[in-house]
């Protein structure tokens, strides 16, 4: 994904009241930090930032007073009910440096007929160049049978990335569906009803 250019405005008012006013104005409170610089409190354009954050590990080109700073997202605070973005933490990065980031796992393919897959880890941690961060890691389960697993060490990593997650960590496991006690009880009740209906039909036929 190419750089997402956002024009930021420096914030001088702080606190919950100031943050609410910023959000009412259609902007998102944020802080820029890293590389030994003092944290810089800014506000970002709400709609553009919301769209950019739909992409994992987007690279931002933040323009402040005519100067552009590259940054990646380190934390996004959301209001849990409405999923409104309340605050964004941005880490300043430079061309050529590497950073550790969590990358979403994307499952592809279908496991063997009659099996299901269980995702044990939704993300893996990779080290990659800050300005060329991968968006996701694909995990193929095509044709895998019950009992099979895919570990982090078996993943095909994006070019230029290094695995940080434990190589033995199970990312996805293939298993056969297991009937629950409720399922077995329901089956037993259905069998009893069927037997009763069969017996009643036989009795009626004899009469």
């Amino acid at each position: 994904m190419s750089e997402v250019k956002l024009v930021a405005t420096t914030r001088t008012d702080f606190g919950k009241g100031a943050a609410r006013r910023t959000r009412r104005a259609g902007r998102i409170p944020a802080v820029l930090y890293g590389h030994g610089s003092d944290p810089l409190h800014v506000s970002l354009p709400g709609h553009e930032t919301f769209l950019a954050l739909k992409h994992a590990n987007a690279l931002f080109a933040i323009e402040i007073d005519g100067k552009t700073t590259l940054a990646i997202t380190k934390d996004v605070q959301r209001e849990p009910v409405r999923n409104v973005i309340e605050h964004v933490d941005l880490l300043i990065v430079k061309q050529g440096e590497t950073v550790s980031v969590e990358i979403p796992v994307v499952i592809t393919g279908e496991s063997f007929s009659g099996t299901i897959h269980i995702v044990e880890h939704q993300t893996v941690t990779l080290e990659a160049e800050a300005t060329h961060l991968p968006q996701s890691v694909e995990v193929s389960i095509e044709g895998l049978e019950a009992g099979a697993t895919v570990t982090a060490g078996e993943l095909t990593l994006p070019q230029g990335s290094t695995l940080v997650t434990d190589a033995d960590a199970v990312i996805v496991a293939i298993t056969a569906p297991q009937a629950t006690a409720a399922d077995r009880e329901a089956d037993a009740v259905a069998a009893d009803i069927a037997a009763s209906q069969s017996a009643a039909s036989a009795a009626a036929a004899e009469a």
Side-chain angles (χ1 to χ4, degrees):
M1 182 179 178
S2 58
E3 298 172 9
V4 179
K5 296 182 179 180
L6 298 175
V7 177
T9 302
T10 303
R11 288 190 295 134
T12 55
D13 293 333
F14 307 101
K16 292 183 178 180
R20 283 195 294 269
R21 288 192 294 273
T22 298
R23 289 190 290 270
R24 282 199 297 268
R27 300 184 68 82
I28 298 173
V31 61
L32 274 164
Y33 64 92
H35 284 274
S37 61
D38 292 332
L40 180 61
H41 298 272
V42 299
S43 69
L44 304 173
H47 183 65
E48 293 91 332
T49 304
F50 177 81
L51 293 178
L53 289 175
K54 289 185 176 183
H55 301 276
N57 300 310
L59 176 64
F60 293 93
I62 309 295
E63 182 180 330
I64 308 171
D65 298 330
K67 180 182 177 181
T68 299
T69 300
L70 296 178
I72 59 174
T73 306
K74 290 303 290 183
D75 185 54
V76 179
Q77 299 171 24
R78 300 177 186 270
E79 196 278 322
V81 177
R82 295 175 297 157
N83 199 34
V84 173
I85 299 174
E86 294 189 326
H87 192 274
V88 180
D89 288 357
L90 296 169
L91 176 66
I92 298 171
V93 297
K94 302 292 185 181
Q95 292 278 357
E97 75 171 315
T98 58
V99 294
S100 283
V101 290
E102 288 191 355
I103 307 295
V105 169
V106 176
I107 306 298
T108 63
E110 297 287 341
S111 57
F112 192 76
S113 178
T115 64
I116 59 175
H117 71 272
I118 300 173
V119 180
E120 302 287 355
H121 288 81
Q122 299 286 348
T123 63
V124 292
T125 303
L126 303 180
E127 190 172 80
E129 186 180 345
T131 55
H132 293 88
L133 296 177
Q135 300 297 302
S136 63
V137 176
E138 290 191 352
V139 182
S140 175
I141 60 171
E142 185 64 37
L144 295 183
E145 299 185 3
T149 61
V150 179
T151 64
E154 295 173 308
L155 299 178
T156 299
L157 302 181
Q159 185 176 2
S161 300
T162 303
L163 183 67
V164 177
T165 297
D166 184 353
D168 294 329
V170 173
I171 303 302
V172 60
I174 310 300
T175 185
Q178 301 293 319
T180 65
D183 293 333
R184 291 191 291 271
E185 183 177 349
D187 289 343
V189 170
D192 289 342
I193 293 173
S196 298
Q197 291 175 339
S198 178
S201 297
E206 290 177 359

PDB file of all heavy atoms in Angstrom, residues 132-146:
ATOM      1  N   HIS A 132       7.768  -0.491   4.107  1.00  0.00           N
ATOM      2  CA  HIS A 132       7.246  -1.537   3.211  1.00  0.00           C
ATOM      3  C   HIS A 132       6.643  -2.665   4.043  1.00  0.00           C
ATOM      4  O   HIS A 132       7.020  -3.833   3.921  1.00  0.00           O
ATOM      5  CB  HIS A 132       8.354  -2.092   2.299  1.00  0.00           C
ATOM      6  CG  HIS A 132       8.870  -1.102   1.306  1.00  0.00           C
ATOM      7  ND1 HIS A 132       9.907  -0.225   1.595  1.00  0.00           N
ATOM      8  CD2 HIS A 132       8.482  -0.813   0.042  1.00  0.00           C
ATOM      9  CE1 HIS A 132      10.139   0.538   0.544  1.00  0.00           C
ATOM     10  NE2 HIS A 132       9.289   0.206  -0.412  1.00  0.00           N
ATOM     11  N   LEU A 133       5.695  -2.306   4.903  1.00  0.00           N
ATOM     12  CA  LEU A 133       5.098  -3.305   5.785  1.00  0.00           C
ATOM     13  C   LEU A 133       4.056  -4.133   5.033  1.00  0.00           C
ATOM     14  O   LEU A 133       3.230  -3.582   4.302  1.00  0.00           O
ATOM     15  CB  LEU A 133       4.435  -2.621   6.982  1.00  0.00           C
ATOM     16  CG  LEU A 133       5.374  -1.868   7.931  1.00  0.00           C
ATOM     17  CD1 LEU A 133       4.573  -1.192   9.025  1.00  0.00           C
ATOM     18  CD2 LEU A 133       6.412  -2.810   8.525  1.00  0.00           C
ATOM     19  N   PRO A 134       4.077  -5.454   5.229  1.00  0.00           N
ATOM     20  CA  PRO A 134       3.074  -6.302   4.571  1.00  0.00           C
ATOM     21  C   PRO A 134       1.697  -6.077   5.176  1.00  0.00           C
ATOM     22  O   PRO A 134       1.566  -5.705   6.345  1.00  0.00           O
ATOM     23  CB  PRO A 134       3.583  -7.730   4.841  1.00  0.00           C
ATOM     24  CG  PRO A 134       4.448  -7.605   6.059  1.00  0.00           C
ATOM     25  CD  PRO A 134       5.056  -6.235   6.009  1.00  0.00           C
ATOM     26  N   GLN A 135       0.663  -6.317   4.375  1.00  0.00           N
ATOM     27  CA  GLN A 135      -0.708  -6.126   4.842  1.00  0.00           C
ATOM     28  C   GLN A 135      -1.268  -7.364   5.519  1.00  0.00           C
ATOM     29  O   GLN A 135      -2.129  -7.273   6.393  1.00  0.00           O
ATOM     30  CB  GLN A 135      -1.610  -5.751   3.652  1.00  0.00           C
ATOM     31  CG  GLN A 135      -1.194  -4.473   2.945  1.00  0.00           C
ATOM     32  CD  GLN A 135      -1.271  -3.263   3.840  1.00  0.00           C
ATOM     33  OE1 GLN A 135      -2.331  -2.953   4.367  1.00  0.00           O
ATOM     34  NE2 GLN A 135      -0.155  -2.586   4.019  1.00  0.00           N
ATOM     35  N   SER A 136      -0.788  -8.560   5.110  1.00  0.00           N
ATOM     36  CA  SER A 136      -1.310  -9.795   5.681  1.00  0.00           C
ATOM     37  C   SER A 136      -0.379 -10.951   5.335  1.00  0.00           C
ATOM     38  O   SER A 136       0.540 -10.806   4.522  1.00  0.00           O
ATOM     39  CB  SER A 136      -2.723 -10.090   5.150  1.00  0.00           C
ATOM     40  OG  SER A 136      -2.693 -10.284   3.740  1.00  0.00           O
ATOM     41  N   VAL A 137      -0.636 -12.093   5.972  1.00  0.00           N
ATOM     42  CA  VAL A 137       0.074 -13.330   5.673  1.00  0.00           C
ATOM     43  C   VAL A 137      -0.973 -14.390   5.346  1.00  0.00           C
ATOM     44  O   VAL A 137      -1.901 -14.620   6.125  1.00  0.00           O
ATOM     45  CB  VAL A 137       0.924 -13.813   6.868  1.00  0.00           C
ATOM     46  CG1 VAL A 137       1.574 -15.155   6.566  1.00  0.00           C
ATOM     47  CG2 VAL A 137       1.990 -12.785   7.210  1.00  0.00           C
ATOM     48  N   GLU A 138      -0.856 -15.030   4.180  1.00  0.00           N
ATOM     49  CA  GLU A 138      -1.822 -16.047   3.780  1.00  0.00           C
ATOM     50  C   GLU A 138      -1.419 -17.422   4.315  1.00  0.00           C
ATOM     51  O   GLU A 138      -0.244 -17.776   4.326  1.00  0.00           O
ATOM     52  CB  GLU A 138      -1.949 -16.102   2.259  1.00  0.00           C
ATOM     53  CG  GLU A 138      -2.623 -14.883   1.658  1.00  0.00           C
ATOM     54  CD  GLU A 138      -2.970 -15.074   0.192  1.00  0.00           C
ATOM     55  OE1 GLU A 138      -2.542 -16.099  -0.391  1.00  0.00           O
ATOM     56  OE2 GLU A 138      -3.664 -14.203  -0.363  1.00  0.00           O
ATOM     57  N   VAL A 139      -2.433 -18.161   4.774  1.00  0.00           N
ATOM     58  CA  VAL A 139      -2.223 -19.526   5.267  1.00  0.00           C
ATOM     59  C   VAL A 139      -3.149 -20.438   4.476  1.00  0.00           C
ATOM     60  O   VAL A 139      -4.373 -20.355   4.615  1.00  0.00           O
ATOM     61  CB  VAL A 139      -2.545 -19.632   6.774  1.00  0.00           C
ATOM     62  CG1 VAL A 139      -2.273 -21.044   7.267  1.00  0.00           C
ATOM     63  CG2 VAL A 139      -1.727 -18.633   7.568  1.00  0.00           C
ATOM     64  N   SER A 140      -2.591 -21.307   3.662  1.00  0.00           N
ATOM     65  CA  SER A 140      -3.411 -22.220   2.868  1.00  0.00           C
ATOM     66  C   SER A 140      -3.704 -23.491   3.664  1.00  0.00           C
ATOM     67  O   SER A 140      -2.803 -24.115   4.224  1.00  0.00           O
ATOM     68  CB  SER A 140      -2.692 -22.591   1.565  1.00  0.00           C
ATOM     69  OG  SER A 140      -3.445 -23.572   0.856  1.00  0.00           O
ATOM     70  N   ILE A 141      -5.004 -23.857   3.694  1.00  0.00           N
ATOM     71  CA  ILE A 141      -5.403 -25.110   4.349  1.00  0.00           C
ATOM     72  C   ILE A 141      -5.982 -26.078   3.320  1.00  0.00           C
ATOM     73  O   ILE A 141      -6.635 -27.056   3.686  1.00  0.00           O
ATOM     74  CB  ILE A 141      -6.431 -24.848   5.464  1.00  0.00           C
ATOM     75  CG1 ILE A 141      -7.696 -24.172   4.890  1.00  0.00           C
ATOM     76  CG2 ILE A 141      -5.824 -23.988   6.563  1.00  0.00           C
ATOM     77  CD1 ILE A 141      -8.844 -24.093   5.895  1.00  0.00           C
ATOM     78  N   GLU A 142      -5.727 -25.819   2.061  1.00  0.00           N
ATOM     79  CA  GLU A 142      -6.310 -26.612   0.985  1.00  0.00           C
ATOM     80  C   GLU A 142      -5.994 -28.100   1.158  1.00  0.00           C
ATOM     81  O   GLU A 142      -4.832 -28.509   1.193  1.00  0.00           O
ATOM     82  CB  GLU A 142      -5.790 -26.122  -0.370  1.00  0.00           C
ATOM     83  CG  GLU A 142      -6.416 -26.804  -1.566  1.00  0.00           C
ATOM     84  CD  GLU A 142      -7.908 -26.518  -1.680  1.00  0.00           C
ATOM     85  OE1 GLU A 142      -8.309 -25.381  -1.371  1.00  0.00           O
ATOM     86  OE2 GLU A 142      -8.646 -27.438  -2.064  1.00  0.00           O
ATOM     87  N   GLY A 143      -7.063 -28.920   1.305  1.00  0.00           N
ATOM     88  CA  GLY A 143      -6.916 -30.366   1.359  1.00  0.00           C
ATOM     89  C   GLY A 143      -6.384 -30.941   2.654  1.00  0.00           C
ATOM     90  O   GLY A 143      -6.206 -32.158   2.760  1.00  0.00           O
ATOM     91  N   LEU A 144      -6.122 -30.104   3.655  1.00  0.00           N
ATOM     92  CA  LEU A 144      -5.576 -30.629   4.912  1.00  0.00           C
ATOM     93  C   LEU A 144      -6.621 -31.486   5.628  1.00  0.00           C
ATOM     94  O   LEU A 144      -7.803 -31.156   5.657  1.00  0.00           O
ATOM     95  CB  LEU A 144      -5.130 -29.488   5.821  1.00  0.00           C
ATOM     96  CG  LEU A 144      -3.960 -28.629   5.333  1.00  0.00           C
ATOM     97  CD1 LEU A 144      -3.584 -27.594   6.384  1.00  0.00           C
ATOM     98  CD2 LEU A 144      -2.756 -29.501   4.987  1.00  0.00           C
ATOM     99  N   GLU A 145      -6.181 -32.598   6.226  1.00  0.00           N
ATOM    100  CA  GLU A 145      -7.079 -33.522   6.894  1.00  0.00           C
ATOM    101  C   GLU A 145      -7.087 -33.286   8.404  1.00  0.00           C
ATOM    102  O   GLU A 145      -6.245 -32.562   8.943  1.00  0.00           O
ATOM    103  CB  GLU A 145      -6.669 -34.965   6.578  1.00  0.00           C
ATOM    104  CG  GLU A 145      -6.735 -35.296   5.089  1.00  0.00           C
ATOM    105  CD  GLU A 145      -6.434 -36.757   4.795  1.00  0.00           C
ATOM    106  OE1 GLU A 145      -6.221 -37.527   5.750  1.00  0.00           O
ATOM    107  OE2 GLU A 145      -6.411 -37.124   3.606  1.00  0.00           O
ATOM    108  N   ALA A 146      -8.073 -33.909   9.089  1.00  0.00           N
ATOM    109  CA  ALA A 146      -8.204 -33.765  10.537  1.00  0.00           C
ATOM    110  C   ALA A 146      -6.902 -34.156  11.225  1.00  0.00           C
ATOM    111  O   ALA A 146      -6.280 -35.164  10.884  1.00  0.00           O
ATOM    112  CB  ALA A 146      -9.356 -34.625  11.046  1.00  0.00           C
TER     113      ALA A 146
END
